[in-house]
Amino acid sequence: MNRPGVEGQPLSPGQLAALRLAASGYTSRQIATRLQTTEQGVHLRLKEAQVRLGARSRTHAVVIALRRHVIRFDEVELNEQRGAA
């Protein structure tokens, strides 16, 4: 990552991608596979996104991102789209 996170800074493309997948219900391991990175890399991206969004948790970061239209519902994969019931 370029600089330590400061609340209010824009999210990086990697942070946005990790947030979208987290919002879709993927685990850190699954996100790492999809983004071709490590689980630690995913945790760092999501933690940095939390800081930049002023969130208290991964889930809170997803909610804030959706409310602020940083990510959109139409970008989130639904369970039936992933083949899970």
Side-chain angles (χ1 to χ4, degrees):
M1 290 180 218
N2 299 341
R3 301 184 282 172
V6 175
E7 189 172 341
Q9 268 186 332
L11 299 178
S12 72
Q15 292 162 358
L16 288 168
L19 268 177
R20 285 185 190 105
L21 292 170
S24 298
Y26 286 93
T27 64
S28 293
R29 180 173 288 173
Q30 292 168 325
I31 294 170
T33 299
R34 295 279 301 259
L35 299 182
Q36 298 180 329
T37 189
T38 64
E39 282 185 72
Q40 183 180 9
V42 170
H43 289 287
L44 288 171
R45 289 176 187 189
L46 291 174
K47 183 56 102 177
E48 185 71 15
Q50 283 177 231
V51 170
R52 292 182 183 199
L53 292 168
R56 294 183 302 271
S57 68
R58 171 180 175 150
T59 303
H60 192 212
V62 167
V63 171
I64 291 170
L66 286 166
R67 283 185 173 172
R68 292 183 185 168
H69 305 285
V70 174
I71 61 175
R72 299 185 326 254
F73 280 108
D74 62 352
E75 297 172 329
V76 174
E77 297 177 26
L78 301 176
N79 284 338
E80 53 271 9
Q81 292 174 328
R82 288 193 297 154

